[in-house]
Amino acid sequence: MVRTTQHLHPQIEPARPRPAATVLLLRDTPQGIEVLMTRRSATASFAPGAYVFPGGTIDAADSQAHAYATRRATQSDERLTQAIAAIRESFEELGVLIARHADGRAADASDIAALDRHQPLAAQCAQRGLLLAADDVYLLAHWITDRDLPRRFDVQFLVARMPEGQTPVADETEQFEPSWVRPAQALERHEAGTFFMIFPTIRTLQRLAKFESVQAVLDACAGEQPLWTSCPRAGFVNGADSRYMESDMPFGELALVSPDGQLVHHLDWRVGQPVPLLKNVTRITAPNPGVMTGPGTNSYLIGDPATGYIAIDPGPNEPEHIERIWRAANGDIRAIVCTHSHADHSPGARPLQALCAKPPLILGLPSAPTARAASEFTPDRSLADGEDVSVEGAGVKHTLRAIHTPGHAANHLCLVLVEDGLLFSGDHVLNGSTTIVDPPDGNMSDYLDSLAKLTAACGQYGIEFILPAHGHVLGFATQAIAQLKAHRLQREAKVIAAMQALPHGSMQDWVGVAYNDVPPRMWPIAMRSLLAHVQRIESLGLAAL
């Protein structure tokens, strides 16, 4: 866990979210699913003028109305309360009533006309022999309002089929302009600037658009658990705030830099200046973007003015980039560590060393005989697996512990910042892509074994964040590694299937089958990892199974 003394910003306790429920009323049309949305008042305290689904806070009365509602056998008391709140809100705001008579007849216009939208709903329904049809309401998603906002809600997003024969009528106080829209249509109108929506609404519609029918949505929600849960985070992109879910690539970086969710961090790739991530961690991205390097190679400085600095991966021999690293450290670089010998990681080490008044040692593992000519690297001293490199001063210490992780390259190292539980993964774990495993220096079995080694390190050092050589910081470190391993094994299964389907095929034949989800222009690059998979499969005798 990151030391609180290393955070860049004083931490502020986010506002406590209030329990709430919203409901997506759905109907089938020949063009696809439509969802009922309304426009919030322009003077509303939360999301003024936005198009939303009906909903509001969960009242104490909702939990006391269980006797007036029907429920599924699998529907817990908590889920029942949420469904009742959603039914109540849809009635109060739109005059839509999800209820049934004792004989199973759905509530109709005459029932609705007899009810007062400003009085408690459950008791009124009971007087007319109606039960709230909570068993027709399902949980879709769970959203918690972003930590940086002053008003926050813990919102259950529920779904229900629109009752037949009813017409929504807005209350003209909180909600206006009831509109039936297809999810894709709402998203297009938002993009055009004519249908303003907030982030959770947009992301919910994006996922809803993938369903072909209302029944398909309800079937997906039958497990009584949200299909996703999210508390988004925000950062600046091109000067404007941009929000992200946990599955989005920038989320981990925002969680590292601003745990309390303050809107303070710029996510733009700024190769012209260092980017502080913590007081003791600075990223400087080399100006070498490309298919293989993403936005560029990330160099890192570990330390502070009192301790001096360790430079990780000085990058390519790019003079301006190397000078930026040197200036960011005020020339006080005590050690240079290269995660591996590839041409976008280690060539900058000697020029950076030469800039320093007191030349630091260059540390790492020498390139193996299997390395390509462009990847030759000889450090001043080899780092042993588990060896520490540290800087300290003014009672503070920053320690990098080496973990030998062959696979991408035979001499690949990952580094753990022990005091803060951070993993510098080099090219072994990337954000936004999977690394190339290129034989003979790359080895797929070694790569998978090294992933297991990193999983163990996450438990040992309490690692929550991974700082890769390409891309933003990754959060949920153990989960990210598990997903990466699962992806590799899924790819291996596709390679095995290709080899079995085309037993006399060539690598060119197999790549089109095993990488059919990858653009053909990328197949020449994919061929390298394909060869690594084939070598592993043949060594284990898996293709014959």
Side-chain angles (χ1 to χ4, degrees):
M1 183 176 293
V2 175
R3 291 169 288 183
T4 57
T5 55
Q6 300 305 319
H7 288 309
L8 294 171
H9 311 281
Q11 300 298 286
I12 299 172
E13 184 66 27
R16 184 182 296 275
R18 299 170 61 186
T22 189
V23 59
L24 283 71
L25 295 167
L26 307 176
R27 71 182 185 186
D28 289 309
T29 75
Q31 292 75 37
I33 293 175
E34 288 186 339
V35 59
L36 183 59
M37 301 186 70
T38 62
R39 179 177 57 81
R40 286 183 60 80
S41 167
T43 60
S45 58
F46 184 82
Y51 281 87
V52 298
F53 315 117
T57 56
I58 296 175
D59 295 340
D62 297 323
S63 63
Q64 298 166 5
H66 289 191
Y68 304 107
T70 56
R71 70 194 297 176
R72 296 182 296 276
T74 55
Q75 204 168 12
S76 67
D77 286 350
E78 180 184 30
R79 296 284 180 256
L80 181 60
T81 297
Q82 294 162 359
I84 290 171
I87 293 171
R88 175 181 54 75
E89 288 287 344
S90 68
F91 177 71
E92 292 174 356
E93 294 183 351
L94 294 176
V96 174
L97 181 59
I98 304 173
R100 288 192 295 269
H101 290 273
D103 61 4
R105 287 182 298 114
D108 58 22
S110 64
D111 294 310
I112 294 171
L115 302 177
D116 185 343
R117 286 163 67 169
H118 302 289
Q119 297 300 319
L121 175 62
Q124 292 187 81
C125 285
Q127 291 173 1
R128 289 190 62 81
L130 289 167
L131 285 171
L132 305 179
D135 56 333
D136 288 340
V137 181
Y138 292 82
L139 179 61
L140 173 72
H142 180 194
W143 287 94
I144 303 97
T145 305
D146 315 31
R147 299 164 182 83
D148 64 302
L149 298 179
R151 295 194 67 193
R152 302 182 66 219
F153 298 92
D154 188 325
V155 193
Q156 311 300 321
F157 277 51
L158 300 110
V159 289
R161 192 184 296 274
M162 176 69 183
E164 292 186 9
Q166 296 191 29
T167 301
V169 179
D171 61 11
E172 300 295 326
T173 302
E174 293 185 36
Q175 307 293 350
F176 300 83
E177 302 174 23
S179 303
W180 284 103
V181 290
R182 287 178 289 106
Q185 180 185 31
L187 294 167
E188 289 169 3
R189 291 170 62 184
H190 172 77
E191 200 63 30
T194 62
F195 201 80
F196 169 62
M197 298 184 293
I198 59 175
F199 182 79
T201 308
I202 295 168
R203 287 302 186 90
T204 299
L205 289 174
Q206 287 173 346
R207 298 193 178 199
L208 187 63
K210 299 175 183 178
F211 290 93
E212 295 183 356
S213 68
V214 175
Q215 192 58 52
V217 178
L218 301 180
D219 290 345
C221 298
E224 307 289 2
Q225 295 300 318
L227 301 188
W228 70 90
T229 297
S230 181
C231 180
R233 291 183 177 275
F236 291 107
V237 176
N238 296 324
D241 78 60
S242 187
R243 304 206 170 245
Y244 301 93
M245 292 175 66
E246 288 77 357
S247 57
D248 295 328
M249 289 187 287
F251 187 92
E253 183 157 320
L254 295 172
L256 173 65
V257 176
S258 183
D260 60 356
Q262 295 180 67
L263 181 56
V264 291
H265 187 61
H266 290 262
L267 291 162
D268 309 277
W269 289 104
R270 297 172 287 171
V271 299
Q273 63 187 97
V275 176
L277 300 173
L278 296 169
K279 289 180 180 178
N280 62 333
V281 179
T282 299
R283 181 180 65 213
I284 306 101
T285 302
N288 62 333
V291 172
M292 302 297 293
T293 57
T297 301
N298 294 329
S299 301
Y300 294 97
L301 285 173
I302 310 303
D304 56 58
T307 64
Y309 298 86
I310 304 168
I312 300 175
D313 281 347
N317 188 358
E318 208 290 323
E320 291 185 1
H321 174 65
I322 293 164
E323 184 173 346
R324 275 194 291 271
I325 298 172
W326 179 77
R327 290 189 181 278
N330 292 315
D332 190 10
I333 297 175
R334 310 289 177 90
I336 300 170
V337 182
C338 294
T339 60
H340 61 297
S341 54
H342 287 173
D344 60 323
H345 290 260
S346 64
R350 292 296 172 195
L352 179 60
Q353 182 187 53
L355 280 179
C356 300
K358 185 177 180 181
L361 286 178
I362 297 172
L363 306 172
L365 291 176
S367 50
T370 51
R372 298 180 187 276
S375 296
E376 292 182 356
F377 170 67
T378 304
D380 294 329
R381 183 169 66 78
S382 293
L383 276 179
D385 188 29
E387 184 177 350
D388 289 348
V389 181
S390 62
V391 289
E392 57 183 308
V396 179
K397 187 175 184 179
H398 311 290
T399 306
L400 288 176
R401 184 159 297 164
I403 302 177
H404 185 206
T405 50
H408 173 65
N411 68 331
H412 196 285
L413 294 171
C414 289
L415 304 161
V416 177
L417 181 52
V418 176
E419 290 85 0
D420 296 299
L422 300 179
L423 175 65
F424 295 85
S425 62
D427 276 357
H428 205 80
V429 179
L430 305 177
N431 191 346
S433 64
T434 52
T435 194
I436 298 297
V437 178
D438 186 12
D441 206 42
N443 181 287
M444 191 60 71
S445 290
D446 287 347
Y447 182 83
L448 293 170
D449 290 344
S450 292
L451 285 179
K453 200 172 183 180
L454 293 181
T455 299
C458 287
Q460 181 178 355
Y461 300 107
I463 295 168
E464 297 177 7
F465 299 97
I466 299 173
L467 287 76
H470 305 285
H472 290 108
V473 175
L474 281 152
F476 310 106
T478 303
Q479 180 180 329
I481 294 169
Q483 290 174 343
L484 179 56
K485 182 177 180 179
H487 172 76
R488 289 291 187 181
L489 293 178
Q490 288 167 2
R491 183 69 68 191
E492 181 176 276
K494 293 187 72 172
V495 175
I496 292 172
M499 294 172 70
Q500 291 175 339
L502 302 168
H504 303 295
S506 65
M507 294 285 290
Q508 286 77 12
D509 297 324
W510 294 336
V511 73
V513 177
Y515 288 82
N516 60 357
D517 56 337
V518 174
R521 62 182 174 81
M522 299 298 294
W523 288 355
I525 296 173
M527 287 273 286
R528 305 181 196 176
S529 289
L530 173 62
L531 175 58
H533 276 297
V534 169
Q535 289 179 346
R536 168 180 156 81
I537 290 164
E538 290 179 341
S539 70
L540 298 175
L542 296 177
L545 298 179

